[in-house]
Amino acid sequence: SQTIHQWPATLVQPVGSPLSLECTVEGTSNPNLYWYRQAAGRGLQLLFYSVGIGQISSEVPQNLSASRPQDRQFILSSKKLLLSDSGFYLCAWSRAGSNTIYFGEGSWLTVV
Amino acid sequence: GESVGLHLPTLSVQEGDNSIINCAYSNSASDYFIWYKQESGKGPQFIIDIRSNMDKRQGQRVTVLLNKTVKHLSLQIAATQPGDSAVYFCAEKYSGTYKYIFGTGTRLKVLA
């Protein structure tokens, strides 16, 4: 069966520090991968999605970037965090050609 | 961590009763819909999906109804249990894209 792992689960970082959130998917090949952010009382906002290694599409211009160095690895990064980057970040995957998205457990980021 | 559902509409249901959670979607061209359940501090969990060429789909204790005329989606949970307490939200997928739009959610509280 397929599983998705996301870490760290919680993170407290000072303003201006870098960020790296990692996500890996097991049990499938060539998945579509996604990074979402969920703010309190609001719907999920798509940040990035990837259909293959090195292929990243950005949905929202922002202080964040994403990379896909391996088929089942997706990384969310920032060089300098802002207070407004605080939130709940979710990695997700879907099979190529399938519509259903499955989410990881999420990472709580607090920028102080 | 911070709650992602601080000011959501809330549906309170007596244990054993049926629950109906509603969602209005925005795009008449959306071709696929998903219901998710999200417990506090966790990632969204897939419940059930439906394609736009269907108007009803049943799972285990759950039924999704799609009314394309009024762009309305509902999730019915039969014999609601305490473990059903969570935030539920719908997602619509724009036809021909990877883009999903997520609702803000409804908090379901099951009363013992």
Side-chain angles (χ1 to χ4, degrees):
Chain A
S1 63
Q2 297 79 28
T3 56
I4 180 169
H5 303 284
Q6 183 179 344
W7 71 95
T10 59
L11 196 60
V12 180
Q13 290 286 99
V15 169
S17 65
L19 170 73
S20 180
L21 298 179
E22 296 195 31
C23 173
T24 59
V25 179
E26 300 293 334
T28 189
S29 296
N30 195 32
N32 297 326
L33 297 172
Y34 310 82
W35 277 111
Y36 285 86
R37 177 166 55 199
Q38 188 175 33
R42 302 174 67 177
L44 277 74
Q45 178 188 34
L46 178 63
L47 302 176
F48 301 95
Y49 70 90
S50 172
V51 299
I53 296 175
Q55 302 178 60
I56 309 294
S57 295
S58 174
E59 287 294 305
V60 181
Q62 59 214 322
N63 186 42
L64 302 169
S65 62
S67 61
R68 185 170 177 173
Q70 300 181 45
D71 181 44
R72 292 170 292 172
Q73 183 183 24
F74 207 23
I75 299 172
L76 183 68
S77 304
S78 174
K79 292 183 179 178
K80 289 186 178 181
L81 283 168
L82 306 171
L83 286 174
S84 58
D85 291 324
S86 294
F88 190 45
Y89 289 83
L90 290 156
C91 183
W93 74 278
S94 65
R95 285 189 185 85
S98 170
N99 291 320
T100 309
I101 290 185
Y102 300 94
F103 288 90
E105 286 301 300
S107 297
W108 287 103
L109 171 64
T110 302
V111 183
V112 296
Chain B
E2 175 190 10
S3 168
V4 295
L6 286 174
H7 303 294
L8 297 174
T10 299
L11 174 67
S12 296
V13 175
Q14 205 68 35
E15 181 179 355
D17 287 352
N18 297 335
S19 303
I20 300 177
I21 301 171
N22 297 303
C23 177
Y25 63 92
S26 59
N27 190 343
S28 57
S30 292
D31 61 357
Y32 179 70
F33 305 87
I34 308 176
W35 277 101
Y36 288 94
K37 172 186 180 182
Q38 187 173 25
E39 297 176 340
S40 181
K42 296 186 176 181
Q45 177 185 1
F46 171 89
I47 302 174
I48 192 168
D49 58 357
I50 188 168
R51 296 184 183 278
S52 59
N53 61 354
M54 304 171 68
D55 54 21
K56 181 179 179 179
R57 189 160 188 230
Q58 288 184 293
Q60 188 176 13
R61 277 204 309 122
V62 294
T63 301
V64 54
L65 299 178
L66 175 62
N67 185 331
K68 294 181 286 295
T69 303
V70 295
K71 294 189 288 186
H72 183 267
L73 197 66
S74 69
L75 176 71
Q76 300 178 2
I77 304 174
T80 313
Q81 302 169 0
D84 295 327
S85 294
V87 173
Y88 291 81
F89 57 90
C90 64
E92 61 177 306
K93 187 183 81 67
Y94 288 176
S95 178
T97 76
Y98 293 103
K99 192 173 181 67
Y100 289 77
I101 299 298
F102 291 84
T104 54
T106 297
R107 184 181 305 281
L108 176 65
K109 286 188 176 180
V110 181
L111 308 173

